[in-house]
């Protein structure tokens, strides 16, 4: 019982730190030593001692359950003007994969799925919106390389002999194996879990056997196809709600998602959007007839989801341009009509907690830049938040707040919230791979 008690104490400390910290986190230098019961900027946890085996290690690192399974969910904006950003993300996927290839013991057992931000308009008949939209279903446009599945599977086979060797910091090398398709089948190898039944054995570039549901293109090519959808989606973007539906819904309503999220896997969620989150706590926000909420445009998400130093007026008889400063997400207790970001933080943390076991989670947002000063203009007979000059990208507050709250280390915010307009996309996926590698290797039994 001591483990449970210490784990709960650690969770309380981390939660309180997340709720009370401020946006100066990146500049915070904290010299407090590990073991004093207060989480410093370079600590993941601090339970008041320097002992291992109680959920928080002697190095003040979270003691994750040992696993090499990693689930990656991409929540993407399928708008046509996002195509160039889809391409940029696909181009950088090798940054993540190259680091995972040098994980001790070989490439992790990987699931990769994609969902849209379209979950409808809570029953309102809004343009382009159906009742529940995609509802968190994993998307698979016309991708012939995934004929029967809606997500990528790349795992190691079981029940066969593999002659392998690996030097520290290098990829696993295999000189031979006795594996076949039967070693990828859950029928003959129940230890694989509930994976798709028709995985094929493939030998990778280092001679190591892998079980995959794609055999023609590489992961980069398959992911490019999954991101290539041309159908229109609902204009009320709700990435946070779409994320939770994708991770928690399965059979019978969502067969596309069956066993995508494994309860014993680390989890990564990547957002890719030029919009901010507009997940409403009430159907009224999406109702065209609710004229008291203002123009039936995306500005409702800002007026009722963001709090600034100045009260929202949006009176075109007085001004055609309004400037707001010190803006941040508005909570429901402050009269906001968007669902609190903190709710999704708490719900997502529960997804990676299984009894006494805890699994790593990292969220990354490729979105508009985080700006607390907003400019709103009245044009074409409606109010609009001004986009970043020369782009279709708007500032972002809610996804920034969410990724910040989900980050355990101060240094993570240097890469886990990343502007779509940055000249180089090198950093985020490289750092993500490094974090995953460190977590996987430190949680594995020492040999």
């Amino acid at each position: 019982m001591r483990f449970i008690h210490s784990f709960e104490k650690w969770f309380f400390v981390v939660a309180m730190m997340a709720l009370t910290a401020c946006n100066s986190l990146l500049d915070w230098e904290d010299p407090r030593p590990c073991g004093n019961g207060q989480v410093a900027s370079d600590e993941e946890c601090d339970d008041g001692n320097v002992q291992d085996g109680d959920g928080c290690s002697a190095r003040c690192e979270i003691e994750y359950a040992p696993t090499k399974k990693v689930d990656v969910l991409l929540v993407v904006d399928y708008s046509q003007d996002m195509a160039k950003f889809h391409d940029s993300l696909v181009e950088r996927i090798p940054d993540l994969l190259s680091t995972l290839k040098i994980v001790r013991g070989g490439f992790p057992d990987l699931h990769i799925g994609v969902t849209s931000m379209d979950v409808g308009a809570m029953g309102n008949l809004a343009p382009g919106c159906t009742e529940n939209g995609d509802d968190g279903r994993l998307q698979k446009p016309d991708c012939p390389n995934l004929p029967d599945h809606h997500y990528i599977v790349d795992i190691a086979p079981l029940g066969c002999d593999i002659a392998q060797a690996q030097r520290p910091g290098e990829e696993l090398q295999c000189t031979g194996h006795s594996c076949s398709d039967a070693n990828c089948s859950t029928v003959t190898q129940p230890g694989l879990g509930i994976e798709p039944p028709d995985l094929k054995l493939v030998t990778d570039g280092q001679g190591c056997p892998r079980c995959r549901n794609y055999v023609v293109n590489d992961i980069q090519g398959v992911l490019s196809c999954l991101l290539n959808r041309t159908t229109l989606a609902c204009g009320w973007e709700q990435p946070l709600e779409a994320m939770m539906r994708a991770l928690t819904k399965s059979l019978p309503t969502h067969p596309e998602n069956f066993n995508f999220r494994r309860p014993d896997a680390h989890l990564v969620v990547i957002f890719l959007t030029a919009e901010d989150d507009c997940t409403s706590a009430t159907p009224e926000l999406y109702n065209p007839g609710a004229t008291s909420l203002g123009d039936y445009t995306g500005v409702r998400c800002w007026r009722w989801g963001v709090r600034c130093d100045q009260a929202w007026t949006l009176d075109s008889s007085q001004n055609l341009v309004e400037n707001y400063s010190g803006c941040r997400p508005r909570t429901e207790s402050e009269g906001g009509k968007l669902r609190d970001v903190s709710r999704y933080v708490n719900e997502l943390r529960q997804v990676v907690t299984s009894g006494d076991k805890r699994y790593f989670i990292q969220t990354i947002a490729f979105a508009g830049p985080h700006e607390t000063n907003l400019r709103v203009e009245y044009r074409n007979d409606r109010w609009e938040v001004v986009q970043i000059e020369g782009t279709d990208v708007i500032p972002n507050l809610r996804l920034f707040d969410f990724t910040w709250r989900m980050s355990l280390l101060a240094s993570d915010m240097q890469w886990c919230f990343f502007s779509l307009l940055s000249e180089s996309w090198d950093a985020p996926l490289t750092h993500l791979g490094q974090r995953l590698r460190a977590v996987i290797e430190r949680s594995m039994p020492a040999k």
Side-chain angles (χ1 to χ4, degrees), residues 312-332:
W312 289 89
T313 55
L314 301 182
D315 184 355
S316 59
S317 66
Q318 300 293 325
N319 299 294
L320 297 181
V321 177
E322 296 185 3
N323 294 291
Y324 297 89
S325 61
C327 301
R328 61 168 178 79
R330 183 177 178 181
T331 65
E332 294 173 63

Side-chain angles (χ1 to χ4, degrees), residues 68 70 93-110 154 164-174 203-208 210 212 214 218-220 429-430 432-434 436-438 440-441:
K68 288 189 64 181
V70 178
I93 284 296
D95 297 341
L96 170 62
L97 301 180
S98 61
T99 305
L100 295 182
K101 287 178 180 178
I102 61 175
V103 169
R104 177 161 51 89
F107 195 68
D109 291 343
L110 200 61
D154 191 332
Q164 60 187 28
Q166 184 179 26
R167 293 178 177 176
E170 296 183 5
E171 294 184 38
L172 183 73
Q173 303 290 327
C174 302
T203 302
D204 67 16
Q206 285 65 49
C208 297
R210 301 291 297 180
R212 296 174 177 170
Y214 63 99
D218 56 13
I219 288 180
Q220 194 175 11
L429 296 183
T430 297
L432 171 62
Q434 293 170 348
L436 280 169
R437 180 191 174 194
I440 293 171
E441 291 186 349

Side-chain angles (χ1 to χ4, degrees), residues 120-127 129-131 282-289 296:
M122 301 181 78
N124 288 287
L125 298 178
C129 303
T130 59
E131 183 174 0
T282 169
E284 182 185 24
L285 188 74
Y286 307 138
N287 183 358
Y296 190 64

